[in-house]
Amino acid sequence: MRRPLSRLILLLCLALPAFSGSAVPSSAAPHTFSTEELIDGFMKTVFGLEYRSWSWQPYLVKKYAGPVRFYVHNMAAKNRKPMVYRFIEQMGAGIRGLSTMVVPTPGEANFHVYVVDRGQYRDVVRRHIYKDPTADVPGRCLVRVVSDRRGISQSAAVIVSDEGDFLFRRCLVEELLQGLGPMNDDASLSHSVFNDRSRHSRFTTFDRLLLNMLYHPSIRPGMSPEQVQPLLPGIVRQVRPLVN
């Protein structure tokens, strides 16, 4: 029996332990990932959710089928827009098959980025994410995704600015990337930002490979794990040369 088309609203929050310190240095020795490692990482991040749902839809591919139009709401005391814009540009340049742009008005956007100070976080999440003034507000930053079988229609991320550059960079990278579709975290993915135990605060090589796999034209919104898995070895071979 074919299930009716319906929207799925997904919410993920970052629950890093309250530590300080520097991120994993970008000068760390390069790692060559096997096809098996990349397929395992893809299946763990693209299917399922960090916070499980009764719905069948989390276990289908979630991705944008068209351009991703960002609008950055900088509500924090420090103007973080230049850093957010650079990362949006980095995503667009580094993920083949993904088109990103920054739009001049909120009404044109399908991905909203709210940059806030910690004191604003709860109110912004309640007003702009939950649209409920009494909702519980989890995490240190978060992203919300609205998706169905046609693809992601809306994403919104809330990033905290004033608790140090490491947390800001970590939240920026993880929440914006998860807003593109790989919604699950997994503690076994040591080379990925999709792991709340990792210390990465940059767009790692491993994650660039995963996002290029997700935005390969053979991977379509709404596909099941059974449909996707036979395609992945060939996709890995095609995306390797795209990622340095």
Side-chain angles (χ1 to χ4, degrees):
M1 178 179 177
R2 187 174 180 180
R3 296 179 174 89
L5 180 67
S6 59
R7 294 193 309 166
L8 176 68
I9 299 176
L10 312 170
L11 184 78
L12 292 183
C13 61
L14 180 65
L16 285 172
F19 60 79
S20 61
S22 59
V24 172
S26 59
S27 59
H31 183 96
T32 302
F33 302 105
S34 69
T35 298
E36 291 73 22
E37 284 179 290
L38 292 171
I39 291 174
D40 179 64
F42 184 94
M43 299 300 289
K44 285 176 176 175
T45 57
V46 170
F47 297 107
L49 284 174
E50 183 179 2
Y51 299 98
R52 299 299 175 184
S53 168
W54 58 267
S55 171
W56 52 274
Q57 288 191 71
Y59 310 103
L60 304 179
V61 169
K62 299 163 287 294
K63 63 184 284 190
Y64 278 90
V68 188
R69 303 180 302 277
F70 289 89
Y71 187 86
V72 181
H73 308 256
N74 194 92
M75 302 174 175
K78 183 174 183 177
N79 181 14
R80 296 283 196 175
K81 282 186 175 182
M83 187 179 294
V84 180
Y85 292 160
R86 284 196 297 272
F87 186 59
I88 292 170
E89 184 179 4
Q90 182 185 2
M91 290 190 298
I95 304 171
R96 187 72 62 89
L98 176 71
S99 173
T100 65
M101 64 188 74
V102 175
V103 294
T105 65
E108 299 174 73
N110 55 13
F111 199 136
H112 292 262
V113 181
Y114 297 90
V115 181
V116 302
D117 290 329
R118 176 56 66 190
Q120 302 166 306
Y121 179 73
R122 181 174 298 175
D123 180 61
V124 169
V125 171
R126 284 174 170 171
R127 284 193 293 117
H128 296 286
I129 306 302
Y130 286 128
K131 304 186 188 306
D132 179 350
T134 64
D136 291 333
V137 179
R140 303 184 73 185
C141 51
L142 56 78
V143 66
R144 173 183 180 266
V145 171
V146 180
S147 183
D148 61 27
R149 286 186 179 273
R150 295 167 296 190
I152 297 172
S153 58
Q154 288 283 332
S155 299
V158 185
I159 312 297
V160 171
S161 170
D162 64 341
E163 293 188 337
D165 285 344
F166 170 75
L167 181 66
F168 176 77
R169 291 194 306 268
R170 170 61 188 246
C171 284
L172 176 67
V173 173
E174 180 173 8
E175 307 304 346
L176 265 62
L177 291 178
Q178 288 194 314
L180 298 178
M183 296 290 291
N184 196 34
D185 279 347
D186 193 284
S188 70
L189 302 178
S190 60
H191 297 281
S192 176
V193 75
F194 305 129
N195 172 3
D196 285 349
R197 299 180 185 179
S198 80
R199 299 290 297 277
H200 299 292
S201 64
R202 59 189 177 87
F203 194 4
T204 68
T205 300
F206 186 82
D207 292 334
R208 282 187 286 139
L209 285 161
L210 295 188
L211 267 296
N212 274 277
M213 292 165 66
L214 177 59
Y215 278 85
H216 189 279
S218 297
I219 304 297
R220 301 183 304 279
M223 292 179 77
S224 68
E226 294 76 20
Q227 292 172 309
V228 166
Q229 194 149 21
L231 305 176
L232 293 180
I235 290 173
V236 170
R237 289 193 296 271
Q238 292 180 46
V239 304
R240 279 192 191 276
L242 307 177
V243 178
N244 298 321

